[in-house]
Amino acid sequence: MSHGESALEFVQEADFVIIGSGSAGSVAAARLSEDGKHSVLVLEYGGTDIGPFIQMPAALSYPMNMARYDWGFGTQPEPNLNNRVMATPRGKVIGGSSSINGMVYVRGHAKDFDHWDENGAKGWSYADVQPYFQRAETSHGGASGEGRGTDGPLHVGRGPRDNPLFDAFVEAGRQAGFETTDDYNGLKQEGFGAMEQTVYNGRRWSAANAYLKPALKRENLRMMSCFVRRVVFEGKRAIGVEVQHGDRVEYVRAHREVVMAASSINSPKLLMLSGIGPAAHLKEHGIEVLADRPGVGGNLQDHLELYIQQACLQPITLYSKLNLFSKAVIGAQWLFLKKGLGTSNQFESAAFVRSAAGVDYPDIQYHFLPVAIRYDGKAPAEGHGFQAHVGPMRSKSRGSIRLSSADPLDSPEIRFNYMSHEDDFPEFRHCIRLTREIFQQPAFAPYAGKEIAPGDAVQSDDELDAYIREHVESAYHPCGTVKMGAADAMDSVVDPECRVIGVEGLRVIDTSIFPRIPNGNLNGPAIMAAEKASDHILGRDMLPRSNMEPWINPNWQVSDR
């Protein structure tokens, strides 16, 4: 709904109004306020991130399952997954999803970004984005000389890898004929190696800790607690945001731009509530169409994963730490010393591998964990075990976000259409069989007992498919719903400078703009995108392009390893 400016009373104003204090919003808040020339106002509905549930890395399964910190979204029943309703957590707290995520840091593969550039997101190739990854980070333990940052706000490190199972996983990959890598965030993503995490001095190093909190000490940056209802326009120009405090509806003014960083779920929802989206859908809900952009809410993507679990013959897993006494000891060590098991997310080994000959860069990701447990904290097995989270990285299935009503307080309808492409089931079956092959290598001989899940009885294609339908889980990497592309492409929503096509004064800078999901976890790319978008917003020259060449397996045409 568009209002004449004269009719509105603005309770606050700033040059830039940022919607959301998550990974992208925190970065933009810091970068747009940095030179002191502009006033910046961040709008955030969630509350404080102070407290051990968020700040202690090992407690990562808690905030994701707490209504206090999570929007609590769920999907529509997913037809290819036995009509399961899948949880879709998004952070409702300062720091957004970077305050409730698994703290795994993955940049993505160089070719992911080249694909963006080739498909209309000009200026987002690997050569273009690599300098922004570098600017964002301080790398502890990464491969030096491979474009890793040394003085950025985001600290990226590695776990202590004390448990012998972490090395066994990497060695088993090598024994199976796969590559190893010293740094999957350097030039060689492909292979088995150490996993990286956004943990610093024993604490979760969220975007709030890295960017937002230091920046809030500046006089020109403020944060306002409110629920965002829609963007307000004068004609086709965004001039502010309609917000709600309790029962009060108010308006905040943006003198230069409104910057949306509300997540791949809430950003398309807000665009549609503001009159930007598929015209027929907006009219259905009685919303006046400001810009007919059919792509808004489309192109929804995610990563799915399975937990392949194996019993452990030696009592060396974290199972012995799941009792209340051990948890209390770990908590106390963390609270008073910032030492011990509490300081790691426990994902300390990883792998990126290719599924077949002819695939030129990795399309399968592994997280390895020295305990058999689920994200919701339930241990399915009594006793010692370990597990690999595994899944394909580039599913061709696409879903959508749609409004459930014109009421901003209602959650949107989320449909991922998981496993709807004909390639999805064969790709997942391959992941399961490959993981079994790795767990049967000599490196695991001293440790590997019977298979807990899926279990030895599950072997045929049909049995594996049934298992996948019932047990596959989201890796919580939703993206793509406000697709970035060429301004003249019908399905593009933002142009390569993140400007919403068809209106003025409005940008979107979060993971919703990703044209295609990159390899791995999305927090790293989200921060990179906001770093780059901040330079676009300020009208600055882009950082000089990188001339680094990523490693591509010389055998890729003839072998998967």
Side-chain angles (χ1 to χ4, degrees):
M1 159 164 89
S2 97
H3 301 269
E5 184 188 347
S6 54
L8 298 183
E9 199 178 313
F10 294 101
V11 294
Q12 288 217 40
E13 51 190 279
D15 293 329
F16 297 108
V17 175
I18 300 171
I19 302 173
S21 75
S23 301
S26 289
V27 172
R31 294 303 186 192
L32 298 180
S33 64
E34 200 166 30
D35 62 11
K37 292 178 185 168
H38 308 289
S39 56
V40 181
L41 176 64
V42 180
L43 309 178
E44 174 55 56
Y45 183 53
T48 177
D49 62 341
I50 293 166
F53 283 130
I54 282 185
Q55 297 299 333
M56 177 166 132
L60 66 94
S61 66
Y62 293 100
M64 195 181 286
N65 294 291
M66 292 169 72
R68 178 177 167 186
Y69 298 132
D70 170 32
W71 282 91
F73 296 131
T75 66
Q76 300 298 302
E78 285 285 341
N80 302 300
L81 302 182
N82 297 343
N83 286 317
R84 289 156 61 200
V85 171
M86 309 288 279
T88 311
R90 291 291 89 192
K92 185 184 69 177
V93 57
I94 288 167
S97 296
S98 76
S99 289
I100 68 166
N101 70 1
M103 291 157 283
V104 171
Y105 183 80
V106 182
R107 288 181 169 189
H109 195 280
K111 283 191 171 270
D112 289 325
F113 305 106
D114 291 343
H115 180 274
W116 290 7
D117 183 78
E118 287 154 16
N119 287 274
K122 286 279 170 276
W124 289 79
S125 71
Y126 175 69
D128 296 303
V129 303
Q130 193 281 329
Y132 287 97
F133 279 116
Q134 193 164 337
R135 179 168 91 177
E137 76 173 355
T138 294
S139 165
H140 303 268
S144 60
E146 295 199 8
R148 301 305 304 269
T150 53
D151 54 3
L154 189 73
H155 288 275
V156 177
R158 301 175 175 206
R161 306 185 77 218
D162 294 335
N163 194 303
L165 290 168
F166 289 123
D167 286 334
F169 180 69
V170 175
E171 179 57 19
R174 194 188 65 76
Q175 289 169 345
F178 288 99
E179 293 287 325
T180 59
T181 177
D182 293 333
D183 184 0
Y184 64 72
N185 284 317
L187 296 179
K188 183 181 182 181
Q189 189 193 53
E190 184 171 331
F192 283 68
M195 188 153 245
E196 298 208 312
Q197 47 188 357
T198 47
V199 173
Y200 183 52
N201 288 341
R203 288 168 61 210
R204 171 192 289 274
W205 204 244
S206 64
N209 285 337
Y211 286 90
L212 182 63
K213 289 179 188 173
L216 278 169
K217 300 188 175 105
R218 300 173 189 152
E219 286 179 6
N220 60 326
L221 175 63
R222 304 189 307 284
M223 192 153 65
M224 176 175 171
S225 176
C226 60
F227 179 87
V228 172
R229 293 171 56 88
R230 59 173 66 83
V231 179
V232 178
F233 288 85
E234 198 170 54
K236 294 244 169 175
R237 182 165 189 85
I239 59 163
V241 180
E242 181 180 296
V243 301
Q244 187 168 347
H245 282 278
D247 297 332
R248 269 203 331 277
V249 173
E250 300 175 336
Y251 298 92
V252 297
R253 175 82 207 241
H255 291 293
R256 289 191 53 166
E257 291 193 27
V258 174
V259 179
M260 198 178 280
S263 84
S264 55
I265 311 295
N266 278 325
S267 288
K269 175 191 159 184
L270 282 171
L271 288 175
M272 290 187 278
L273 289 170
S274 308
I276 301 163
H281 179 61
L282 300 187
K283 285 175 186 159
E284 242 173 78
H285 291 292
I287 296 168
E288 193 182 319
V289 181
L290 186 66
D292 179 12
R293 298 310 303 173
V296 174
N299 193 45
L300 175 61
Q301 299 161 66
D302 191 14
H303 289 139
L304 287 174
E305 58 184 17
L306 277 171
Y307 307 166
I308 311 298
Q309 298 173 326
Q310 197 90 23
C312 188
L313 300 172
Q314 297 187 34
I316 55 170
T317 74
L318 295 176
Y319 177 73
S320 57
K321 309 295 183 194
L322 296 178
N323 61 73
L324 283 175
F325 177 74
S326 295
K327 284 182 175 177
V329 171
I330 292 167
Q333 271 185 314
W334 180 83
L335 204 59
F336 298 114
L337 304 169
K338 296 291 182 281
K339 286 192 165 63
L341 284 170
T343 63
S344 172
N345 58 8
Q346 311 308 326
F347 293 118
E348 297 178 20
S349 281
F352 293 88
V353 298
R354 293 174 301 107
S355 59
V359 175
D360 59 349
Y361 72 103
D363 58 345
I364 294 172
Q365 180 184 12
Y366 280 101
H367 301 63
F368 180 80
L369 199 59
V371 66
I373 198 168
R374 288 168 41 142
Y375 264 148
D376 57 15
K378 297 188 180 89
E382 283 306 311
H384 285 276
F386 51 87
Q387 73 190 34
H389 297 201
V390 64
M393 290 287 97
R394 294 196 285 282
S395 167
K396 300 174 194 79
S397 295
R398 295 291 181 270
S400 67
I401 305 286
R402 289 290 175 254
L403 296 176
S404 55
S405 83
D407 184 347
L409 295 170
D410 286 347
S411 291
E413 289 183 358
I414 302 169
R415 290 180 182 82
F416 282 98
N417 295 325
Y418 287 128
M419 305 299 289
S420 57
H421 192 277
E422 59 189 7
D423 294 346
D424 287 335
F425 279 98
E427 285 175 357
F428 249 111
R429 293 198 294 266
H430 176 72
C431 287
I432 297 172
R433 290 173 171 142
L434 182 61
T435 310
R436 286 171 163 168
E437 181 191 339
I438 289 161
F439 283 167
Q440 282 159 6
Q441 297 301 315
F444 275 117
Y447 309 114
K450 69 173 183 17
E451 183 175 293
I452 302 167
D456 292 335
V458 182
Q459 295 292 341
S460 70
D461 285 1
D462 287 347
E463 288 163 346
L464 290 171
D465 287 354
Y467 184 82
I468 293 163
R469 275 193 195 93
E470 194 50 49
H471 294 283
V472 77
E473 295 286 343
S474 171
Y476 308 133
H477 300 161
C479 63
T481 49
V482 182
K483 182 181 176 184
M484 172 169 53
D488 57 0
M490 273 310 284
D491 63 342
S492 300
V493 184
V494 298
D495 70 11
E497 293 192 22
C498 308
R499 297 175 294 210
V500 177
I501 300 162
V503 297
E504 291 168 29
L506 177 63
R507 295 195 209 224
V508 183
I509 64 167
D510 56 31
T511 57
S512 64
I513 68 173
F514 294 2
R516 189 177 71 175
I517 194 166
N519 265 8
N521 310 59
L522 298 192
N523 187 237
I527 286 169
M528 172 281 289
E531 282 274 12
K532 187 172 186 296
S534 299
D535 277 358
H536 286 300
I537 293 166
L538 292 170
R540 293 189 170 152
D541 291 338
M542 295 295 104
L543 294 177
R545 299 178 82 224
S546 164
N547 56 6
M548 294 191 174
E549 283 296 320
W551 186 89
I552 299 290
N553 194 315
N555 303 324
W556 72 268
Q557 285 163 310
V558 294
S559 170
D560 67 341
R561 54 196 85 176

